[in-house]
Amino acid sequence: MIIDGKKLSEKICAQVRAEAEMMRRRPCLAAVLVGEDPASQIYVRNKERDCAKCGIDSRRYDLPDTVPEAELLAIIDELNNDDAVDGILVQLPLPEHISERKVINAVSPEKDVDAFHPINVGRMVTGEGTLMPCTPAGIMAMLREYGISPDGKHCVIVGRSNIVGRPMGLMLLNADATVTYCHRHTKDLAAMTRQADILIVAAGSPRLITGDMVKDGVVVIDVAMNRDPETGKFFGDVCFDEVEKKASFITPVPGGVGPMTRAQLMKNILAAAKERALKNG
Ligand code: NAD
């Protein structure tokens, strides 16, 4: 069965919109884009569109790639203190002269809708998070929707980045799965992936997972977004044609994890707005 992330994301957006419309003030995202990286520009434009679709206001700050780090930090500080702003998103990557860690740490945890701040990472680890990292939280929502419980399952994750693989494993652990992490230093990747009841692949390495690397009945979530330089089309890390024949569930690329990541960001903005509204009365 092919998991339809696009359809589910539309359902989530409609739910976010319904809740956003009931609020006294529309939730608001401030998106900060440094430089003119074409991919980042597309991501930010898509997020603005998603906001409009979900009844969320958005403001955009375009800064030149020469902007001094101190100036970017001052803008973040201003947004942290702006009562009309519920969520702050600084599009990564940043130019080399700016420390990503410093910027991530400067965003107020209550407005950190990417959930990259160490406080939100810590809350996610202990299972008390409200703002959850978008890609893994979107995948958890997808599993729930399709009735796939991680409880007692062996979940194998390929990739251990701070934004996808690592938090994914922790969320699955919190959902009572047995988790194995694989990465570039893993000795025999196929021996690991063949054990997976649920296989989550986020390596950014085209055709990494072939049909002989999975067992029958596996659930496969392909997070990767590899772009064919000639056609401009996106494809995953999984050889879809081969693996689909053995999988019980599989996500397509595009139309799987991507839309769910975007929908989860909208959920986070709404959650941040609701929490702030509660706190500020
Ligand atoms: P990253 O480069 O930060 O991390 C990749 C990880 O995969 C590393 O831990 C590395 O050790 C591991 N890896 C790479 N090649 C491997 C190999 N051959 N064998 C075993 N492990 C290997 O990447 P990231 O930011 O986590 O993103 C991963 C992929 O997911 C990319 O294709 C990215 O575009 C995509 N992505 C998609 C979404 C979405 O919403 N669909 C969101 C974020 C990232």
Side-chain angles (χ1 to χ4, degrees):
M1 188 176 203
I2 295 176
I3 295 180
D4 192 340
K6 191 160 186 294
K7 194 167 149 201
L8 177 55
S9 74
E10 279 161 10
K11 190 168 132 186
I12 292 169
C13 277
Q15 285 163 353
V16 169
R17 187 181 183 95
E19 285 197 52
E21 279 170 354
M22 285 190 327
M23 295 192 66
R24 227 182 313 157
R25 178 179 61 73
R26 277 162 74 100
C28 175
L29 171 74
V32 182
L33 176 60
V34 182
E36 285 172 13
D37 174 53
S40 293
Q41 284 184 334
I42 294 172
Y43 293 145
V44 171
R45 203 179 319 131
N46 284 341
K47 287 165 191 173
E48 287 177 301
R49 283 194 194 136
D50 291 341
C51 283
K53 242 176 42 192
C54 295
I56 293 171
D57 287 337
S58 64
R59 287 191 210 163
R60 178 168 167 165
Y61 295 79
D62 282 295
L63 307 173
D65 61 6
T66 51
V67 69
E69 183 181 88
E71 198 175 318
L72 175 58
L73 293 173
I75 291 171
I76 293 171
D77 190 45
E78 224 172 84
L79 296 172
N80 282 341
N81 292 304
D82 185 335
D83 265 345
V85 171
D86 298 296
I88 302 170
L89 183 150
V90 183
Q91 185 64 46
L92 302 179
L94 292 170
E96 262 176 29
H97 68 279
I98 299 178
S99 154
E100 285 192 356
R101 190 30 74 192
K102 249 194 214 169
V103 168
I104 287 169
N105 291 1
V107 174
S108 160
E110 62 172 14
K111 298 189 179 186
D112 167 40
V113 286
D114 268 330
F116 290 163
H117 191 286
I119 288 193
N120 287 323
V121 174
R123 286 185 183 142
M124 184 262 303
V125 171
T126 53
E128 46 188 315
T130 328
L131 301 178
M132 303 296 259
C134 296
T135 302
I139 292 170
M140 293 303 284
M142 214 150 58
L143 296 177
R144 268 196 306 277
E145 175 77 8
Y146 281 80
I148 304 161
S149 166
D151 189 339
K153 303 272 169 58
H154 187 186
C155 298
V156 177
I157 300 163
V158 185
R160 57 168 171 180
S161 72
N162 284 343
I163 61 164
V164 189
R166 205 172 293 240
M168 184 76 255
L170 292 161
M171 282 188 200
L172 288 165
L173 187 65
N174 286 344
D176 299 322
T178 301
V179 176
T180 299
Y181 282 104
C182 303
H183 45 80
R184 273 199 195 90
H185 297 253
T186 299
K187 293 274 186 272
D188 186 352
L189 183 63
M192 299 296 160
T193 57
R194 272 189 211 112
Q195 293 177 39
D197 300 313
I198 300 176
L199 176 63
I200 308 215
V201 192
S205 177
R207 300 192 69 77
L208 180 64
I209 306 296
T210 48
D212 60 328
M213 290 171 75
V214 298
K215 69 178 180 189
D216 281 329
V218 63
V219 173
V220 179
I221 308 290
D222 191 350
V223 183
M225 301 235 282
N226 304 304
R227 193 164 183 269
D228 185 321
E230 276 166 29
T231 62
K233 285 194 178 150
F234 285 100
F235 57 100
D237 286 347
V238 174
C239 296
F240 188 88
D241 297 347
E242 292 176 21
V243 174
E244 183 201 17
K245 293 189 184 101
K246 293 172 93 175
S248 55
F249 291 91
I250 187 166
T251 58
V253 179
V257 176
M260 291 302 295
T261 299
R262 290 167 59 179
Q264 180 64 37
L265 176 67
M266 299 300 116
K267 268 170 94 169
N268 279 354
I269 300 166
L270 176 70
K274 281 166 81 172
E275 199 136 293
R276 292 185 62 250
L278 259 178
K279 209 168 110 187
N280 301 336

PDB file of all heavy atoms in Angstrom, residues 132-147:
ATOM      1  N   MET A 132       7.462  19.939  18.024  1.00  0.00           N
ATOM      2  CA  MET A 132       8.202  18.732  17.653  1.00  0.00           C
ATOM      3  C   MET A 132       8.911  18.933  16.317  1.00  0.00           C
ATOM      4  O   MET A 132       8.357  19.574  15.429  1.00  0.00           O
ATOM      5  CB  MET A 132       7.230  17.554  17.524  1.00  0.00           C
ATOM      6  CG  MET A 132       6.429  17.282  18.780  1.00  0.00           C
ATOM      7  SD  MET A 132       7.519  16.796  20.107  1.00  0.00           S
ATOM      8  CE  MET A 132       7.264  15.055  20.081  1.00  0.00           C
ATOM      9  N   PRO A 133      10.113  18.363  16.147  1.00  0.00           N
ATOM     10  CA  PRO A 133      10.801  18.487  14.862  1.00  0.00           C
ATOM     11  C   PRO A 133       9.899  17.986  13.723  1.00  0.00           C
ATOM     12  O   PRO A 133       9.309  16.901  13.818  1.00  0.00           O
ATOM     13  CB  PRO A 133      12.048  17.614  15.020  1.00  0.00           C
ATOM     14  CG  PRO A 133      11.930  16.925  16.318  1.00  0.00           C
ATOM     15  CD  PRO A 133      10.839  17.544  17.113  1.00  0.00           C
ATOM     16  N   CYS A 134       9.798  18.812  12.678  1.00  0.00           N
ATOM     17  CA  CYS A 134       8.711  18.626  11.703  1.00  0.00           C
ATOM     18  C   CYS A 134       8.748  17.306  10.933  1.00  0.00           C
ATOM     19  O   CYS A 134       7.717  16.650  10.784  1.00  0.00           O
ATOM     20  CB  CYS A 134       8.715  19.788  10.718  1.00  0.00           C
ATOM     21  SG  CYS A 134       8.349  21.345  11.536  1.00  0.00           S
ATOM     22  N   THR A 135       9.926  16.911  10.448  1.00  0.00           N
ATOM     23  CA  THR A 135       9.944  15.707   9.604  1.00  0.00           C
ATOM     24  C   THR A 135       9.614  14.446  10.408  1.00  0.00           C
ATOM     25  O   THR A 135       8.688  13.707  10.037  1.00  0.00           O
ATOM     26  CB  THR A 135      11.298  15.589   8.861  1.00  0.00           C
ATOM     27  OG1 THR A 135      11.470  16.779   8.091  1.00  0.00           O
ATOM     28  CG2 THR A 135      11.339  14.384   7.956  1.00  0.00           C
ATOM     29  N   PRO A 136      10.308  14.177  11.529  1.00  0.00           N
ATOM     30  CA  PRO A 136       9.939  12.966  12.279  1.00  0.00           C
ATOM     31  C   PRO A 136       8.521  13.012  12.841  1.00  0.00           C
ATOM     32  O   PRO A 136       7.831  11.986  12.842  1.00  0.00           O
ATOM     33  CB  PRO A 136      10.976  12.893  13.401  1.00  0.00           C
ATOM     34  CG  PRO A 136      11.760  14.132  13.369  1.00  0.00           C
ATOM     35  CD  PRO A 136      11.540  14.813  12.067  1.00  0.00           C
ATOM     36  N   ALA A 137       8.064  14.191  13.276  1.00  0.00           N
ATOM     37  CA  ALA A 137       6.690  14.258  13.802  1.00  0.00           C
ATOM     38  C   ALA A 137       5.682  13.999  12.680  1.00  0.00           C
ATOM     39  O   ALA A 137       4.652  13.351  12.896  1.00  0.00           O
ATOM     40  CB  ALA A 137       6.433  15.619  14.450  1.00  0.00           C
ATOM     41  N   GLY A 138       5.994  14.478  11.489  1.00  0.00           N
ATOM     42  CA  GLY A 138       5.120  14.212  10.334  1.00  0.00           C
ATOM     43  C   GLY A 138       5.072  12.721  10.028  1.00  0.00           C
ATOM     44  O   GLY A 138       4.021  12.172   9.679  1.00  0.00           O
ATOM     45  N   ILE A 139       6.207  12.049  10.178  1.00  0.00           N
ATOM     46  CA  ILE A 139       6.254  10.595   9.925  1.00  0.00           C
ATOM     47  C   ILE A 139       5.445   9.847  10.993  1.00  0.00           C
ATOM     48  O   ILE A 139       4.691   8.916  10.673  1.00  0.00           O
ATOM     49  CB  ILE A 139       7.725  10.111   9.882  1.00  0.00           C
ATOM     50  CG1 ILE A 139       8.407  10.683   8.641  1.00  0.00           C
ATOM     51  CG2 ILE A 139       7.813   8.586   9.900  1.00  0.00           C
ATOM     52  CD1 ILE A 139       9.911  10.491   8.589  1.00  0.00           C
ATOM     53  N   MET A 140       5.557  10.272  12.248  1.00  0.00           N
ATOM     54  CA  MET A 140       4.769   9.631  13.314  1.00  0.00           C
ATOM     55  C   MET A 140       3.270   9.771  13.013  1.00  0.00           C
ATOM     56  O   MET A 140       2.495   8.825  13.210  1.00  0.00           O
ATOM     57  CB  MET A 140       5.092  10.245  14.685  1.00  0.00           C
ATOM     58  CG  MET A 140       6.505   9.990  15.194  1.00  0.00           C
ATOM     59  SD  MET A 140       6.983   8.255  15.344  1.00  0.00           S
ATOM     60  CE  MET A 140       6.137   7.779  16.824  1.00  0.00           C
ATOM     61  N   ALA A 141       2.868  10.944  12.522  1.00  0.00           N
ATOM     62  CA  ALA A 141       1.451  11.165  12.198  1.00  0.00           C
ATOM     63  C   ALA A 141       1.008  10.239  11.063  1.00  0.00           C
ATOM     64  O   ALA A 141      -0.100   9.694  11.071  1.00  0.00           O
ATOM     65  CB  ALA A 141       1.232  12.630  11.807  1.00  0.00           C
ATOM     66  N   MET A 142       1.911  10.034  10.117  1.00  0.00           N
ATOM     67  CA  MET A 142       1.620   9.169   8.982  1.00  0.00           C
ATOM     68  C   MET A 142       1.427   7.721   9.453  1.00  0.00           C
ATOM     69  O   MET A 142       0.506   7.031   9.035  1.00  0.00           O
ATOM     70  CB  MET A 142       2.825   9.260   8.032  1.00  0.00           C
ATOM     71  CG  MET A 142       2.510   9.156   6.606  1.00  0.00           C
ATOM     72  SD  MET A 142       3.678  10.073   5.561  1.00  0.00           S
ATOM     73  CE  MET A 142       5.219   9.381   5.933  1.00  0.00           C
ATOM     74  N   LEU A 143       2.322   7.267  10.338  1.00  0.00           N
ATOM     75  CA  LEU A 143       2.215   5.893  10.863  1.00  0.00           C
ATOM     76  C   LEU A 143       0.885   5.729  11.604  1.00  0.00           C
ATOM     77  O   LEU A 143       0.172   4.735  11.428  1.00  0.00           O
ATOM     78  CB  LEU A 143       3.400   5.571  11.794  1.00  0.00           C
ATOM     79  CG  LEU A 143       4.803   5.558  11.153  1.00  0.00           C
ATOM     80  CD1 LEU A 143       5.876   5.293  12.212  1.00  0.00           C
ATOM     81  CD2 LEU A 143       4.908   4.498  10.050  1.00  0.00           C
ATOM     82  N   ARG A 144       0.552   6.733  12.436  1.00  0.00           N
ATOM     83  CA  ARG A 144      -0.721   6.673  13.199  1.00  0.00           C
ATOM     84  C   ARG A 144      -1.908   6.567  12.259  1.00  0.00           C
ATOM     85  O   ARG A 144      -2.786   5.727  12.428  1.00  0.00           O
ATOM     86  CB  ARG A 144      -0.886   7.938  14.063  1.00  0.00           C
ATOM     87  CG  ARG A 144      -0.343   7.813  15.462  1.00  0.00           C
ATOM     88  CD  ARG A 144      -0.874   8.925  16.357  1.00  0.00           C
ATOM     89  NE  ARG A 144      -0.654  10.254  15.821  1.00  0.00           N
ATOM     90  CZ  ARG A 144       0.487  10.945  15.952  1.00  0.00           C
ATOM     91  NH1 ARG A 144       1.518  10.432  16.582  1.00  0.00           N
ATOM     92  NH2 ARG A 144       0.597  12.158  15.450  1.00  0.00           N
ATOM     93  N   GLU A 145      -1.916   7.410  11.231  1.00  0.00           N
ATOM     94  CA  GLU A 145      -3.048   7.462  10.290  1.00  0.00           C
ATOM     95  C   GLU A 145      -3.254   6.106   9.612  1.00  0.00           C
ATOM     96  O   GLU A 145      -4.366   5.695   9.342  1.00  0.00           O
ATOM     97  CB  GLU A 145      -2.786   8.553   9.242  1.00  0.00           C
ATOM     98  CG  GLU A 145      -3.813   8.642   8.123  1.00  0.00           C
ATOM     99  CD  GLU A 145      -5.100   9.328   8.559  1.00  0.00           C
ATOM    100  OE1 GLU A 145      -5.144   9.870   9.688  1.00  0.00           O
ATOM    101  OE2 GLU A 145      -6.072   9.316   7.752  1.00  0.00           O
ATOM    102  N   TYR A 146      -2.143   5.407   9.315  1.00  0.00           N
ATOM    103  CA  TYR A 146      -2.258   4.135   8.606  1.00  0.00           C
ATOM    104  C   TYR A 146      -2.309   2.935   9.561  1.00  0.00           C
ATOM    105  O   TYR A 146      -2.153   1.794   9.142  1.00  0.00           O
ATOM    106  CB  TYR A 146      -1.116   4.000   7.583  1.00  0.00           C
ATOM    107  CG  TYR A 146      -1.421   4.810   6.330  1.00  0.00           C
ATOM    108  CD1 TYR A 146      -1.202   6.178   6.295  1.00  0.00           C
ATOM    109  CD2 TYR A 146      -2.001   4.216   5.208  1.00  0.00           C
ATOM    110  CE1 TYR A 146      -1.503   6.939   5.162  1.00  0.00           C
ATOM    111  CE2 TYR A 146      -2.307   4.956   4.071  1.00  0.00           C
ATOM    112  CZ  TYR A 146      -2.057   6.322   4.063  1.00  0.00           C
ATOM    113  OH  TYR A 146      -2.368   7.065   2.943  1.00  0.00           O
ATOM    114  N   GLY A 147      -2.490   3.207  10.838  1.00  0.00           N
ATOM    115  CA  GLY A 147      -2.651   2.133  11.825  1.00  0.00           C
ATOM    116  C   GLY A 147      -1.388   1.314  12.041  1.00  0.00           C
ATOM    117  O   GLY A 147      -1.456   0.137  12.388  1.00  0.00           O
TER     118      GLY A 147
END
